[in-house]
Amino acid sequence: MEKKNKLEEELVMIKKEKEESDKRLLKFEIMFGIFSLAFMFVLILIAANLDMPTWLRVVLIVVGFAQFLAMMFVCIRIEQVAGHYECKLCHEKYVPTYKQTLLAMHIGWTRYMKCPHCSQKSWDKKVTD
Ligand SMILES: [Zn+2]
């Protein structure tokens, strides 16, 4: 009996730690996104306003867009694996595939996806518990 309780306690601890690291990851996602967007604007502003050869302007703009695009893929990956999405209809919690996360319409962290449990599409919220 004693042993069982200890195991249960440990499981609760592990679950808590996972929840906290998921929350941290989602905060990082926002930070990465903001920094990347700001960096893109800075590069574009430099390219538009400073005196430089045309090829350098093009390089700055391309690098600005490319790093932002790459960061978006990283952010979507974080969103896919950190925590779960909760089905609005059956309340099942699930982790979608990367493709599903990438292609789904979304408003913030709420995505319009098909639930693997009830097979219905709904606006499913990101949850970390
Ligand atoms: Zn469902």
Side-chain angles (χ1 to χ4, degrees):
M1 196 63 201
E2 176 108 344
K3 227 179 180 169
K4 204 185 160 206
N5 281 344
K6 195 141 186 157
L7 190 68
E8 272 171 12
E9 247 171 57
E10 270 171 32
L11 282 175
V12 169
M13 283 279 286
I14 289 168
K15 199 173 171 280
K16 259 209 168 119
E17 273 168 29
K18 166 104 171 67
E19 277 174 37
E20 268 158 34
S21 83
D22 284 348
K23 279 184 191 152
R24 256 199 311 275
L25 266 175
L26 289 169
K27 274 186 200 153
F28 277 132
E29 186 200 353
I30 296 175
M31 270 168 41
F32 287 156
I34 290 171
F35 276 121
S36 182
L37 192 65
F39 187 48
M40 179 173 77
F41 276 117
V42 167
L43 288 183
I44 289 171
L45 281 175
I46 290 171
N49 293 302
L50 296 188
D51 198 26
M52 64 180 78
T54 305
W55 68 265
L56 191 53
R57 284 185 214 283
V58 173
V59 167
L60 286 179
I61 291 167
V62 168
V63 167
F65 276 111
Q67 64 82 28
F68 182 66
L69 194 69
M71 192 50 88
M72 278 195 350
F73 282 101
V74 172
C75 285
I76 289 169
R77 176 72 182 166
I78 291 174
E79 226 178 290
Q80 181 213 349
V81 296
H84 305 86
Y85 283 93
E86 186 178 338
C87 174
K88 207 174 181 180
L89 304 170
C90 72
H91 301 289
E92 174 85 0
K93 288 175 185 171
Y94 65 96
V95 174
T97 63
Y98 185 78
K99 193 179 160 198
Q100 206 180 0
T101 315
L102 181 69
L103 297 178
M105 284 189 287
H106 69 106
I107 301 168
W109 282 330
T110 302
R111 286 180 184 265
Y112 188 68
M113 291 190 294
K114 188 176 171 181
C115 163
H117 186 67
C118 67
S119 299
Q120 300 292 311
K121 280 192 159 192
S122 66
W123 286 95
D124 300 343
K125 263 199 181 117
K126 166 70 53 183
V127 289
T128 48
D129 55 351

